[in-house]
Amino acid sequence: MRQRSVMRDTIQMTIIQFILECLSLLFQAWMTRRVEAASVGSLALVGSFFQLAAMLAGGNAMLCASSFVSKELGKPHGCPGRILRYAITFCMMLALPVSAGILWYAEPLSRQFLQSEGMANTVRMMALILPLGGISTCFKGYFNAVCRVTVMACCDVTEFLLRTGIQTALLLWHGASSAQQVYTNLVYGMAAGTAFTAVTLSVLYFRSKHSKGTSSLSFWNYVRLAIPVAFGGCLTAFLSTANDALIPMTLRQFGDSTSRALQQFGTFEGIVIPVLFFPSTILCAMSGILIPEVARANAAGNRKRVQDFTERVIALTLIFAILIAEILLRFGGVIGDWMDGRTLSGKMIRILVPIVPMIYLEIVLEALIK
């Protein structure tokens, strides 16, 4: 197993993620102008629901696979391939019942959570993607743990291009005549991206050489250790989804119509949040690399390396976050006006600037603690 260069991998992943984030921002701005902010708000609710369902179905699969495979690599004669099989089995134990439940209760979920009875078919299509998505995230965690960053980067790029390309092509083909059609386009894009990643990583895994050894964990020990990680991820996803659902509901209570509430929520989710999180690309890339790196150092008993990582990363994160906050405070209005031509987004950006350092620090601290 080659030694990982954290700096090299971070730079590589940062460049890739930076390009993807730029394209994503442009795509969000185009979508907001094309289908209006109200539809973007509805799409944000659909995406938030899918993220919660994926977390429940996968049990935080990427983090579990990445962490436990990394710990296995830190053992003298470990068997990371067996840990990956444990991860996939555990994921399927969660994904199949969750998918079946969503399929069964698609209409009530569509009516109560997404505020639209016509969303039931979209919810059903999402449910069918969940098991394949769980397998995909397990393989992502494995390749991240074994330092195959280039593989991860290529899959991320292709998955993004497939997802957004299909959504854009279908939107241009069918137009924005109905919200249901926009939602269906979203699901088709997600399905194509997920299927590509799952198939590609599966082929690459079975074609690679695997070290043979004795696993340090049994399957049920893996499950016992994975349950707290899965519960933490599911709780976070649930709170995030509940927050997204409450925002338009609260806006309606203060007198806004449903359309106006979704329009404001769409501006927040489609413009403000991507702008605030866009500079954190480097932190997200570094955090994904730090999780297996710190896990491997812990397994080897190298506490000094963990301490050095922690101190250095926290210091750099705070300096970076304060710099970005100053930029957003000075130019937030210009950025918001450029993104969607409205003053509301710029005002929201400037209001949220004080919490930017806390957001960025939380990204890194969460990775270190995990």
Side-chain angles (χ1 to χ4, degrees):
M1 186 66 61
R2 68 177 179 87
Q3 293 295 316
R4 159 171 280 181
S5 169
V6 175
M7 181 60 68
R8 184 187 62 243
D9 289 349
T10 299
I11 292 173
Q12 181 179 344
M13 288 300 295
T14 298
I15 293 172
I16 297 298
Q17 291 300 322
F18 180 79
I19 295 172
L20 293 182
E21 287 295 330
C22 287
L23 294 174
S24 180
L25 272 176
L26 293 173
F27 180 72
Q28 288 286 357
W30 179 79
M31 279 285 292
T32 302
R33 295 176 185 272
R34 180 82 184 184
V35 302
E36 298 184 350
S39 295
V40 175
S42 297
L43 284 173
L45 281 178
V46 174
S48 182
F49 171 78
F50 181 77
Q51 289 176 2
L52 174 61
M55 184 62 70
L56 292 172
N60 217 349
M62 182 171 177
L63 177 59
C64 288
S66 182
S67 296
F68 294 127
V69 169
S70 296
K71 290 179 180 178
E72 194 69 12
L73 291 170
K75 305 293 182 181
H77 303 287
C79 184
R82 185 176 295 275
I83 300 298
L84 174 62
R85 291 193 290 273
Y86 290 165
I88 294 175
T89 303
F90 177 63
C91 184
M92 290 300 99
M93 289 172 60
L94 298 175
L96 295 178
V98 170
S99 297
I102 293 175
L103 284 170
W104 185 264
Y105 293 104
E107 291 186 3
L109 287 171
S110 173
R111 183 171 56 253
Q112 297 297 326
F113 182 79
L114 301 176
Q115 306 296 316
S116 173
E117 294 186 2
M119 292 286 290
N121 289 333
T122 302
V123 172
R124 292 188 183 97
M125 287 189 289
M126 284 183 176
L128 297 176
I129 302 174
L130 294 178
L132 190 62
I135 295 173
S136 173
T137 52
C138 287
F139 278 113
K140 283 184 177 181
Y142 174 85
F143 279 100
N144 187 46
V146 299
C147 311
R148 300 285 296 276
V149 176
T150 302
V151 172
M152 296 283 295
C154 291
C155 283
D156 286 344
V157 170
T158 309
E159 183 175 345
F160 173 83
L161 293 176
L162 273 174
R163 187 177 71 249
T164 57
I166 290 174
Q167 291 177 36
T168 302
L170 291 176
L171 186 59
L172 292 174
W173 178 265
H174 296 291
S177 56
S178 68
Q180 179 63 38
Q181 184 62 54
V182 176
Y183 306 146
T184 303
N185 297 345
L186 173 68
V187 175
Y188 285 156
M190 289 192 301
T194 301
F196 169 82
T197 301
V199 171
T200 301
L201 293 182
S202 299
V203 171
L204 290 175
Y205 172 77
F206 287 112
R207 290 183 61 182
S208 61
K209 296 180 180 180
H210 310 295
S211 58
K212 296 181 179 180
T214 303
S215 174
S216 62
L217 292 175
S218 67
F219 174 70
W220 294 111
N221 282 334
Y222 175 91
V223 171
R224 179 176 58 83
L225 294 171
I227 285 176
V229 180
F231 177 78
C234 292
L235 180 60
T236 301
F238 174 78
L239 293 175
S240 177
T241 303
N243 177 71
D244 289 346
L246 287 173
I247 290 175
M249 186 184 303
T250 305
L251 290 172
R252 288 200 303 271
Q253 290 178 349
F254 278 87
D256 287 326
S257 64
T258 299
S259 176
R260 176 65 177 166
L262 287 174
Q263 183 180 12
Q264 293 174 339
F265 180 64
T267 299
F268 181 76
E269 287 289 330
I271 302 298
V272 177
I273 291 298
V275 168
L276 292 178
F277 277 86
F278 173 70
S280 68
T281 302
I282 184 172
L283 302 179
C284 294
M286 183 171 59
S287 297
I289 293 168
L290 282 176
I291 290 174
E293 185 67 26
V294 174
R296 191 179 295 114
N298 268 326
N302 193 346
R303 303 295 296 175
K304 186 177 186 305
R305 183 170 176 80
V306 175
Q307 183 177 355
D308 290 343
F309 267 128
T310 303
E311 293 175 355
R312 191 182 311 165
V313 167
I314 289 176
L316 291 174
T317 299
L318 287 174
I319 295 172
F320 177 76
I322 292 172
L323 176 63
I324 295 300
E326 176 65 20
I327 294 173
L328 291 176
L329 186 62
R330 291 175 63 88
F331 301 105
V334 177
I335 295 171
D337 184 66
W338 178 78
M339 289 292 293
D340 68 347
R342 299 184 180 92
T343 59
L344 177 62
S345 56
K347 183 179 179 180
M348 287 181 177
I349 291 171
R350 290 194 298 271
I351 290 173
L352 292 173
V353 162
I355 67 169
V356 166
M358 290 179 280
I359 292 174
Y360 292 2
L361 190 60
E362 185 268 342
I363 291 172
V364 172
L365 288 177
E366 183 180 12
L368 291 169
I369 292 171
K370 286 177 179 177

